[in-house]
Amino acid sequence: MHEDVERVIVSRRRIAARVAELARQIAHDHAAPDGSPGEITIVPVLTGAMVFAADLIRRLPMRIRIGVVTVSSYPGRTVTSQGPALLHSGFGDLAGRNVLLVDDILDTGATLSMVHGLIQASGPATLRTCVLLRKIGRQSRDITADYIGFDIPDVFVVGYGLDFGDYHRNLPDIVKLRPAAMAGAGRHAEAR
Ligand code: XMP
């Protein structure tokens, strides 16, 4: 285990199994009326959802287009959201398309709401949302996602695309860091 890791919250084995299940469900829900796989536009919220989206799309059987949106909630080495800020949207014209918005984690729901509103305004035929993780008890009641990988406790997690100070996205498991690593005392501490 990486020296900065306190414990694994969701293992790579469980992630892989769940991503396959989510893909089956998404494929089923987006099949064309004649039963053929259909077409979908995936909009991953960068940077956190890139690893999840990369695994998910390779499990989907339909024709796929990708349009990204980049949002920042946690500038620098912080675990407190400053509210989502849209940095870039590169999803083009989504009018009439079947869109699947993919994010890493549903925390308060502010990010998903913001991007959902943005996409909805461009008139997609369908718009569904998929998150790998949902933090228990953090969202107001009306905010949820159509597809949810795992419910997790309200701890700050990294790995599988999620970061702290832009590091640890490459860890294959979703983990909680040691307090020392979070405090900047870890070997990978950085001044920003
Ligand atoms: P909201 O509150 O807008 O937050 O639903 C969603 C975004 O906040 C980030 N986030 C986290 N990032 N570990 C992270 O690395 C976490 O535990 C965590 N909780 C929220 C994430 O970017 C997500 O899209």
Side-chain angles (χ1 to χ4, degrees):
M1 200 153 62
H2 191 287
E3 61 187 344
D4 288 346
V5 173
E6 182 179 289
R7 67 189 160 99
V8 172
I9 304 288
V10 190
S11 70
R12 66 196 80 177
R13 191 182 52 78
R14 290 178 64 208
I15 295 170
R18 187 69 183 125
V19 169
E21 280 175 10
L22 289 170
R24 273 195 291 277
Q25 207 184 332
I26 291 165
H28 173 266
D29 295 349
H30 290 82
D34 67 359
S36 63
E39 179 168 325
I40 192 173
T41 302
I42 307 276
V43 179
V45 182
L46 300 183
T47 307
M50 61 180 274
V51 177
F52 175 38
D55 282 348
L56 185 66
I57 58 172
R58 285 176 291 172
R59 295 256 176 203
L60 291 172
M62 63 276 269
R63 278 159 58 84
I64 289 184
R65 293 161 50 107
I66 297 178
V68 298
V69 60
T70 306
V71 175
S72 170
S73 305
Y74 288 68
R77 297 169 60 81
T78 166
V79 296
T80 310
S81 176
Q82 312 296 307
L86 179 70
L87 301 183
H88 170 77
S89 68
F91 45 68
D93 183 12
L94 298 177
R97 299 199 170 275
N98 296 313
V99 178
L100 181 68
L101 174 57
V102 177
D103 204 359
D104 51 2
I105 183 164
L106 182 60
D107 187 9
T108 63
T111 303
L112 211 62
S113 293
M114 179 185 75
V115 182
H116 190 280
L118 208 65
I119 295 174
Q120 194 69 64
S122 61
T126 62
L127 173 55
R128 294 185 175 96
T129 51
C130 176
V131 294
L132 180 66
L133 305 171
R134 175 173 63 179
K135 281 192 184 172
I136 298 166
R138 290 275 297 160
Q139 308 82 42
S140 62
R141 239 181 254 174
D142 55 332
I143 296 181
T144 187
D146 297 295
Y147 308 98
I148 296 165
F150 300 94
D151 278 316
I152 63 163
D154 183 14
V155 293
F156 193 81
V157 291
V158 302
Y160 198 71
L162 292 134
D163 74 303
F164 177 63
D166 233 5
Y167 286 102
H168 303 302
R169 295 191 196 276
N170 55 318
L171 295 177
D173 306 298
I174 290 165
V175 303
K176 179 178 188 302
L177 292 177
R178 291 183 195 284
M182 304 285 290
R187 263 206 2 219
H188 308 290
E190 141 217 43
R192 324 170 43 118

